[in-house]
Amino acid sequence: MPGAAEPYRLGAHLAGDGIDVAVVASRADAVDLCLLDDVAEGLTERRFRLLRGAGGVWHGHVAGVRAGQHYGLRVHGPWDPAAGLFHNPAKLLLDPYARAVSGQVELVPPVYGHRVDDRLHPLPGFAADPHDSAPFVAHGVVVDDAFPAPVRRPRVPWGRTVLYEAHVRGLTMRLPGVPEHLRGTYAGLAHPATIAHLRELGVTAVELLPIHAGSPEPFLVERGLTNYWGYNTLAFFAPEPRYATLAAQAAGPAAVLTEVKGMVHLLHEAGIEVILDVVYNHTSEGGVGGPSLSLRGLDNLLYYLHDPANPGALVDVTGCGNSLDFRRTRVVQLVLDSLRYWVSEVGVDGFRFDLAVTLGRHGSRFSPDHPFLVALATDPVLAGTKLIAEPWDLGPDGWQTGAFPPPMADWNDRFRNAVRTFWLTDPAAASHGRVGHDLRDLATRLAGSADLFSHGEVPGGRGPLASINFVTAHDGFTLADLVTYDGKHNEANTEGNRDGTNDNRSWNHGVEGPVTADDGGVVGGVALEARSGLAGTSDIAAARRRSARNLLGTLLLSAGTPMLTAGDERGRTQRGNNNAYCQDNEISWMDWAPAPERDDLLATTRHLLRLRREHPVLRPERFAAGRTAHGDALADLAWYDADGRGMDAAAWYDPNTRVLQMQRSGQPVGDVDALLVLNGSLGAVEVTLPPGRPGAGRVLVWDSVWESPQAPRPAEARATLAPLSMRLYLSTR
């Protein structure tokens, strides 16, 4: 076999009269390229022995091969599990650089490199299994790399960015206006009905749960469930075929890829960016006892993090059985090549990195100067894309919120916790006579989390927009469930309600679960206002709706980059399930059925996002200094108590202080001034508004008491804030 013209170009690529192939398997004795053909007699295979090249690369050129050819790899070498070597040529392995895949992994004994019993548990001795896995695994497919240039990107600046975390399937499975054959697909996500909702809502980017091709976990298959979220990646370059239309699936992997590119193109035409949630921290091969599908059979010691004193044991900092070893050059290369591919040839606008701390680990230690993170910051192809870290994993020192370097932004769990605590946990405690927390953490989050994002090599740090503010995400309660359930209800996951977090910081407002007209405002014979202090709130449902608006308003009016979870704008419920990763059904799908309270919440979300879009004072790009700039009459940021006086030190530390006023000067950004007033107490409070700009009045533009937006109204010097409510005032200059 002749060698590849460019053996450093990994993967299978059309070249001249056939294909060039290159793969890394540094500890192998030999590697076979296997061309697969499905004929009437069954699956046939043609094998070609690749040439050993430099740096552990095996490569070759095969003439006569065209786009659409299915292929895999077989690796010959030592089988020594104690030494971490799992070469087994009976197993057909997926090329890590495959641009498309065909078929799904079927979890049967032959897909395991070692012998297993009927329940897929390793047999004693961990001997190599001789059965051929080819009929039961996903195959790589050669595709034409001559993609057209992607449409011009929206390139929405961070200051105007509003993220919308969604699942390709769940968003449109029940969306009216999307034809039945497009629901739950890439094409359905880019349908005019879906785009109309996104544009009218006011979001600027969809952050899609994983669309890399994946494979199922054995314990889910056993229970008849599926990994709906998709955090179990098999192929870092190939899109998940199941989310394509049936027509595209029938036409083949090239049509699936075309549909993905078409989705990106249509969203771009609508001015909406596409962010991919990517899982580079682990793969679907699981722990040492898992199947042999790709990296394990190619070069287990190279790709996976293992115990140096016991190379047969994997070090798991992800909770998923394995962790990629980002100390290895080839691992960094694999991930960077994948990212570049999705940007340059598919056209996506950025990435959210699942368990991103794993990607910056030197073994057990995280470093913000890790070579991979430096490469992200300096790569010319990735320049200008949005890079977002989920800044934790399960390893040592796994919580690193605020520690990632620019240009990355971080999911801010401190924001989530502080907002939930102020509006839900503390009022729930107060309704039972207990004391909650003081206002210091909440104020820090409202102002952009300078404690986390103001440090770094550049003065001022990454700035407030590096804080991805969220109250809910795919994991955990939805917005509606946060105000409806005190505890998780994950029975449908068939794990005895043991899965999912118990740290929900939620409040059911006196009754667990949905309420009926018979519940009214009475809980156990006690009037609701007596139980919770919500005087003036007629029933539990109304109290819950107000709490949801408080959470939503705080998210969208705080400094930072907001992220909405799809469906929260319409009060979507998961029936108390806070870990619906395996629920590909109505529990997870977005409910589009009309209802007055859903329409009101949607109108409120649109209103708040319009205010944020129109007023840069609500989305500062720099941290405030708390000082008055030359030529201005107001401090860039100032805090006041209920009497309109500057907050003193004692008030900040007093958990009984439950009213906070935050005023921002709009002059530095050429805007009006903004005053945000929060009442976190269980009773109505008389509030004196602080002094504003001389000669300027104020208008009330939003009150969380309003079920739906109302016309602005002139502000009075003193105002009565309803229990557990917030207001936004803008100046009239």
Side-chain angles (χ1 to χ4, degrees):
M1 167 186 279
E6 299 176 316
Y8 51 82
R9 189 184 185 202
L10 300 177
H13 304 276
L14 294 174
D17 62 350
I19 59 169
D20 278 353
V21 178
V23 61
V24 175
S26 59
R27 292 166 177 81
D29 295 331
V31 177
D32 294 332
L33 169 68
C34 306
L35 301 183
L36 308 167
D37 298 289
D38 199 357
V39 298
E41 294 76 22
L43 189 68
T44 65
E45 183 176 325
R46 293 172 284 155
R47 299 188 185 184
F48 300 85
R49 182 63 51 89
L50 298 178
L51 303 176
R52 185 193 294 271
V57 175
W58 297 80
H59 64 95
H61 176 84
V62 183
V65 179
R66 296 290 179 261
Q69 176 67 57
H70 292 210
Y71 73 102
L73 301 161
R74 295 187 187 273
V75 179
H76 305 260
W79 175 269
D80 187 351
L85 301 174
F86 297 96
H87 303 110
N88 185 342
K91 309 307 165 185
L92 186 77
L93 304 175
L94 183 69
D95 173 12
Y97 279 74
R99 263 54 170 178
V101 298
S102 177
Q104 295 286 325
V105 174
E106 185 178 347
L107 287 174
V108 293
V111 305
Y112 289 77
H114 53 281
R115 292 181 180 273
V116 296
D117 60 23
D118 291 340
R119 297 194 63 193
L120 308 180
H121 296 158
L123 291 174
F126 219 82
D129 179 82
H131 299 95
D132 185 9
S133 67
F136 310 105
V137 296
H139 303 154
V141 181
V142 177
V143 296
D144 188 349
D145 284 332
F147 292 116
V151 71
R152 189 173 68 175
R153 305 175 191 279
R155 295 204 181 278
V156 180
W158 273 110
R160 292 184 174 272
T161 296
V162 178
L163 300 169
Y164 186 77
E165 189 195 39
H167 190 285
V168 168
R169 184 166 165 80
L171 182 62
T172 63
M173 280 298 293
R174 307 173 86 181
L175 177 56
V178 174
E180 188 71 29
H181 69 285
L182 298 183
R183 293 185 177 184
T185 69
Y186 300 118
L189 195 144
H191 186 272
T194 314
I195 288 176
H197 174 73
L198 298 173
R199 286 178 58 87
E200 292 165 7
L201 183 60
V203 299
T204 68
V206 288
E207 182 177 302
L208 300 178
L209 268 66
I211 67 167
H212 286 172
S215 62
E217 296 97 326
F219 72 91
L220 286 179
V221 174
E222 246 181 56
R223 294 171 169 83
L225 298 171
T226 185
N227 188 326
Y228 169 70
W229 287 349
Y231 290 92
N232 207 43
T233 303
L234 173 64
F236 294 137
F237 291 79
E240 174 54 59
R242 292 177 301 142
Y243 300 153
T245 57
L246 292 178
Q249 292 183 51
V256 172
L257 181 58
T258 297
E259 186 174 318
V260 173
K261 291 163 55 184
M263 172 193 71
V264 174
H265 176 89
L266 291 172
L267 288 167
H268 281 178
E269 284 193 329
I272 298 170
E273 294 184 313
V274 179
I275 312 294
L276 299 186
D277 194 336
V278 286
V279 186
Y280 295 118
N281 57 80
H282 76 282
T283 75
S284 60
E285 290 185 305
V288 171
S292 187
L293 306 173
S294 184
L295 302 182
R296 171 170 289 129
L298 286 167
D299 204 333
N300 178 68
L301 289 176
L302 173 69
Y303 286 109
Y304 291 125
L305 187 64
H306 59 276
D307 183 349
N310 181 13
L314 297 177
V315 175
D316 180 11
V317 297
T318 66
C320 301
N322 65 61
S323 307
L324 287 180
D325 189 350
F326 278 80
R327 296 173 301 181
R328 308 298 188 188
T329 300
R330 291 298 189 183
V331 171
V332 172
Q333 179 187 8
L334 172 65
V335 174
L336 288 174
D337 285 348
S338 170
L339 295 171
R340 295 185 191 109
Y341 171 79
W342 286 95
V343 170
S344 62
E345 301 190 45
V346 182
V348 305
D349 304 281
F351 306 92
R352 178 265 189 188
F353 296 92
D354 181 65
L355 300 183
V357 171
T358 301
L359 283 56
R361 283 191 179 276
H362 292 283
S364 62
R365 181 177 59 87
F366 171 81
S367 170
D369 299 319
H370 189 284
F372 174 70
L373 300 179
V374 172
L376 280 183
T378 57
D379 189 281
V381 175
L382 302 179
T385 61
K386 291 183 167 68
L387 305 174
I388 301 169
E390 182 186 37
W392 49 79
D393 69 7
L394 301 183
D397 299 319
W399 185 83
Q400 294 290 340
T401 304
F404 281 78
M408 297 192 78
D410 298 4
W411 270 26
N412 190 348
D413 54 319
R414 291 281 296 274
F415 180 93
R416 174 199 63 199
N417 293 348
V419 174
R420 289 188 185 187
T421 295
F422 180 77
W423 288 119
L424 300 177
T425 308
D426 286 351
S431 70
H432 292 86
R434 298 193 296 270
V435 176
H437 299 76
D438 61 46
L439 297 174
R440 288 174 295 159
D441 196 26
L442 177 70
T444 303
R445 307 307 145 212
L446 291 171
S449 297
D451 60 330
L452 299 173
F453 298 99
S454 65
H455 50 80
E457 294 180 359
V458 177
R462 286 183 282 165
L465 296 176
S467 173
I468 305 298
N469 295 340
F470 67 105
V471 174
T472 67
H474 63 275
D475 55 343
F477 280 149
T478 65
L479 180 67
D481 288 353
L482 274 177
V483 301
T484 305
Y485 298 93
D486 274 359
K488 64 188 180 186
H489 296 270
N490 297 354
E491 291 79 9
N493 298 352
T494 69
E495 296 183 48
N497 205 34
R498 294 184 299 273
D499 63 302
T501 182
N502 293 312
D503 182 19
N504 296 297
R505 306 187 189 216
S506 58
W507 182 28
N508 65 16
H509 293 72
V511 172
E512 187 75 353
V515 294
T516 66
D518 293 336
D519 291 310
V522 176
V523 181
V526 180
L528 176 65
E529 53 266 28
R531 174 73 174 268
S532 68
L534 293 177
T537 303
S538 61
D539 56 24
I540 294 170
R544 289 173 173 176
R545 291 195 298 272
R546 185 187 301 178
S547 289
R549 290 191 295 272
N550 289 331
L551 294 167
L552 191 64
T554 308
L555 170 65
L556 300 180
L557 300 176
S558 294
T561 301
M563 184 187 78
L564 282 168
T565 303
D568 278 355
E569 74 274 20
R570 291 184 51 81
R572 182 177 73 89
T573 177
Q574 292 182 167
R575 307 171 195 169
N577 193 321
N578 74 354
N579 189 36
Y581 74 106
C582 56
Q583 299 299 326
D584 187 5
N585 50 47
E586 290 82 358
I587 291 176
S588 295
W589 300 343
M590 190 160 165
D591 186 356
W592 296 90
E597 62 275 11
R598 292 175 182 165
D599 294 340
D600 286 343
L601 186 58
L602 176 60
T604 295
T605 310
R606 289 173 174 171
H607 178 67
L608 291 169
L609 284 173
R610 180 182 61 79
L611 289 171
R612 181 183 179 86
R613 182 169 60 252
E614 294 177 353
H615 293 286
V617 69
L618 300 176
R619 40 186 172 85
E621 299 187 9
R622 297 178 181 176
F623 289 114
R627 296 191 295 266
T628 304
H630 178 71
D632 201 349
L634 298 179
D636 55 1
L637 177 66
W639 304 97
Y640 301 90
D641 62 17
D643 295 323
R645 298 177 302 216
M647 288 281 287
D648 60 30
W652 284 118
Y653 288 86
D654 183 0
N656 294 305
T657 300
R658 297 291 295 168
V659 175
L660 182 64
Q661 302 191 70
M662 180 180 74
Q663 183 165 257
R664 283 189 178 276
S665 170
Q667 182 166 302
V669 290
D671 196 12
V672 297
D673 309 317
L675 175 66
L676 194 64
V677 187
L678 297 86
N679 176 21
S681 58
L682 297 178
V685 175
E686 287 290 323
V687 174
T688 299
L689 303 187
R693 187 172 301 277
R698 287 193 179 105
V699 289
L700 174 65
V701 294
W702 182 67
D703 189 331
S704 68
V705 169
W706 299 344
E707 291 282 353
S708 61
Q710 298 183 18
R713 58 191 64 176
E716 298 178 351
R718 289 183 60 81
T720 301
L721 261 68
L724 294 181
S725 68
M726 62 184 296
R727 289 182 173 184
L728 175 64
Y729 294 91
L730 296 177
S731 68
T732 57
R733 71 182 180 102

